[in-house]
Amino acid sequence: MTRFWRHAGLAAAFALALTGCGNDIRQSPLRLATAAVVDLVRPDTPSVDARAQLTPELIASAPVSILLVIQQQEDVGFTLLANSANLGVIEWRNTAGQSILRRDGIVAGTRGFGFDRMTTDVTGLIRALATGGADGVVRVNRIIDGAGVIEAHRFLCNVRLVGTETLTIYGRSYDTRTYTESCDGPGGRFTNRYWVEASGTIRRSVERITPELGDFEFVRLND
């Protein structure tokens, strides 16, 4: 497993565990988390997956929203905390500096992962999920390549309601409708999946980030 993924997982997990330690800068969660990570990401230290650290009690006591992210290519789990909101986009961030930008629960961009997706127009997808599906939904992913150039990848996607499922997430149950978003374009083919509650909250999703990063699974652990 790469040092990058160990860093992302440990930093976020410790930031979560230490939230609420007070505002004294000498004991702030960010300062303590960073110090802990410096010790724990040494090459001879086993990696820690956030899924092994999370508990129903820890989630229930968290004063901020928590997003569990699983990078499926590496099978690594780490957590992000809601950090800021701007024009309907919420930034979910960890102390290592990586972040996911989401609009209405759908990935609209990433930062700090390498080969990031800078922006995505998800307006059509949001509308399709709210109305039970649609064909020919346009998605444009703007991806930064290895030379730092942003490329626009245009896809046509079919959004389908494929069933219902009750998710059980750390002891809590959520009734959801499941959707697929099957996309085709010059950048290739992929299928995203979304688990949507009656309120419109996307409780879980599996989304292609970029060809290099592969699919990320997102689970919203609290409201």
Side-chain angles (χ1 to χ4, degrees), residues 13-211:
F14 274 84
L16 172 60
L18 291 166
T19 297
C21 291
N23 294 322
D24 185 343
I25 191 169
R26 293 169 300 174
Q27 296 295 325
S28 70
L30 180 59
R31 189 178 182 88
L32 289 171
T34 302
V37 169
V38 168
D39 289 337
L40 289 168
V41 297
R42 291 172 179 166
D44 58 348
T45 303
S47 60
V48 178
D49 193 301
R51 290 170 289 182
Q53 296 184 328
L54 289 165
T55 65
E57 295 75 21
L58 186 60
I59 294 167
S61 66
V64 293
S65 296
I66 315 163
L67 192 67
L68 172 63
V69 185
I70 300 166
Q71 202 274 348
Q72 295 196 337
Q73 227 167 241
E74 300 275 352
D75 190 26
V76 176
F78 56 98
T79 53
L80 302 175
L81 307 183
N83 181 62
S84 63
N86 183 35
L87 300 176
V89 175
I90 297 176
E91 180 194 40
W92 299 78
R93 189 176 179 86
N94 64 24
T95 58
Q98 293 90 28
S99 61
I100 301 288
L101 307 175
R102 301 195 345 145
R103 181 184 294 277
D104 289 359
I106 299 163
V107 174
T110 68
R111 300 292 185 271
F113 293 91
F115 296 98
D116 279 306
R117 193 201 306 170
M118 301 307 293
T119 64
T120 300
D121 182 357
V122 294
T123 304
L125 174 58
I126 292 170
R127 184 164 50 247
L129 292 175
T131 57
D135 291 337
V137 176
V138 175
R139 163 189 280 269
V140 180
N141 293 342
R142 295 174 181 86
I143 297 171
I144 188 165
D145 66 13
V149 176
I150 296 176
E151 301 177 344
H153 296 181
R154 186 178 186 273
F155 300 89
L156 286 180
C157 307
N158 295 328
V159 181
R160 297 272 193 270
L161 174 63
V162 295
T164 60
E165 185 175 348
T166 299
L167 300 178
T168 301
I169 301 170
Y170 289 95
R172 293 187 63 182
S173 296
Y174 304 90
D175 294 327
T176 67
R177 295 165 293 159
T178 58
Y179 288 86
T180 58
E181 178 198 15
S182 301
C183 299
D184 191 4
R189 296 181 179 180
F190 59 88
T191 298
N192 295 329
R193 295 180 62 87
Y194 305 92
W195 287 256
V196 185
E197 296 179 68
S199 64
T201 298
I202 297 179
R203 184 58 54 182
R204 179 188 177 205
S205 66
V206 178
E207 303 177 56
R208 173 66 51 85
I209 304 302
T210 63

